[in-house]
Amino acid sequence: MINPKILLIIPAYNESEGIIQVVQKVEQYCKNSKYSIDYVVINDGSTDNEEEVLKEHNINHVELINNLGIGGAVQTGYLYAKESGYDIAVQFDGDGQHDIESLPHLLEPVINDEADFTVGSRFLDESNSEFKSSKSRQFGIKFLSSLIYMSSKIRIKDVTSGYRAGNKKVVNQFVNRYPRQYPEPESYMHLFAGDIRVKEVGVRMFERTTGASSINMVKGINYMISVSLSILASSLFGRRDK
């Protein structure tokens, strides 16, 4: 792939406090990068003044009238990428957790045709990420990783990572079908069923500095049960589709 057009999809919900800093880092990186990179912020029906901030700073964005959740926001970004003719789409969180300097680790396997889809991981030996998330969340991630491995025989260690990149084959698949409730772990089952080549690469991540996670202990337990059932269901439907 020579001189690919790359789009960063930045979903953001009520991130008015930190979205400017995230976009400024992205713009500075893109200015000095050897790659041709654009970005789009997907304002997922925010109830704070995020839309006002995005307009005031002339930030390229799509405003969703209603809150679709992370799955719907990211799928909107993939639709934007397809309609605009991008070769690679990258998911990049709007809360400041992802390190833009790690972007080449995600891009190079796709550009070199070593993978169709890459996922940035905190848990590989080559990752220099000091932030690994809380112990309870690490346990949940390991459990989901084991469940996906049992269902697919493919090991992804950082299954909830939202730092991911895909080529046009992936973009087309996600435009047509992208999980809404549990998009990161569940989407792997759809990718594997579509014979998408997935590669996990080491990246650096940070703890969020603004906003707050919507998942508490009770929600976390419900999340684990629900996403586990979704992974199993996706695995069964994927086998049926083949």
Side-chain angles (χ1 to χ4, degrees), residues 2-235:
I2 302 175
N3 298 323
K5 287 180 59 181
I6 300 164
L7 176 70
L8 292 187
I9 301 169
I10 308 176
Y13 176 68
N14 289 348
E15 295 290 353
S16 61
E17 186 180 347
I19 192 64
I20 298 303
Q21 289 80 5
V22 170
V23 170
Q24 286 176 342
K25 287 181 180 179
V26 166
E27 289 179 338
Q28 184 63 36
Y29 181 86
C30 293
K31 187 184 302 183
N32 300 314
S33 175
K34 64 180 180 180
Y35 304 113
S36 175
I37 306 173
D38 298 319
Y39 72 86
V40 60
V41 174
I42 310 297
N43 178 11
D44 189 21
S46 296
T47 56
D48 63 359
N49 65 330
E50 182 179 310
E51 180 64 18
E52 179 182 333
V53 169
L54 293 172
K55 287 181 177 179
E56 180 182 345
H57 290 82
N58 197 30
I59 292 174
N60 184 41
H61 71 283
V62 172
E63 179 187 6
L64 300 180
I65 298 175
N66 298 313
N67 175 247
L68 299 182
I70 184 65
V74 170
Q75 188 176 37
T76 300
Y78 278 112
L79 181 60
Y80 183 102
K82 180 178 180 178
E83 292 185 344
S84 303
Y86 286 95
D87 300 299
I88 299 174
V90 182
Q91 297 172 221
F92 190 86
D93 282 357
D95 59 10
Q97 287 191 299
H98 295 161
D99 179 21
I100 190 65
E101 298 293 337
S102 294
L103 185 59
H105 299 297
L106 287 167
L107 293 176
E108 289 172 6
V110 179
I111 292 173
N112 296 330
D113 197 29
E114 299 168 5
D116 301 306
F117 187 77
T118 53
V119 52
S121 175
R122 294 161 286 184
F123 305 128
L124 296 183
D125 291 340
E126 61 265 30
S127 170
N128 61 349
S129 183
E130 296 180 3
F131 173 66
K132 305 289 186 183
S133 194
S134 66
K135 294 295 183 182
S136 59
R137 291 198 178 193
Q138 287 187 52
F139 174 81
I141 291 169
K142 287 180 180 179
F143 175 82
L144 294 178
S145 175
S146 297
L147 187 60
I148 289 175
Y149 179 76
M150 289 170 58
S151 302
S152 67
K153 300 305 178 187
I154 298 175
R155 177 74 69 184
I156 302 293
K157 290 187 176 182
D158 204 346
V159 295
T160 63
S161 170
Y163 200 3
R164 316 194 302 174
N167 61 14
K168 283 188 174 182
K169 185 177 180 181
V170 172
V171 170
N172 290 331
Q173 178 167 324
F174 282 164
V175 164
N176 293 324
R177 185 180 188 182
Y178 193 76
R180 293 295 179 95
Q181 287 188 298
Y182 317 108
E184 285 86 12
E186 188 179 344
S187 63
Y188 290 111
M189 307 313 299
H190 301 311
L191 291 170
F192 299 152
D195 294 322
I196 299 294
R197 297 171 298 163
V198 178
K199 182 175 182 178
E200 193 170 18
V201 297
V203 299
R204 186 182 184 189
M205 294 190 193
F206 308 105
E207 190 169 5
R208 66 159 64 224
T209 55
T210 61
S213 173
S214 61
I215 300 178
N216 54 31
M217 181 174 292
V218 174
K219 287 184 178 180
I221 294 172
N222 290 333
Y223 172 87
M224 289 298 299
I225 295 172
S226 299
V227 74
S228 297
L229 293 174
S230 295
I231 289 172
L232 292 173
S234 297
S235 174

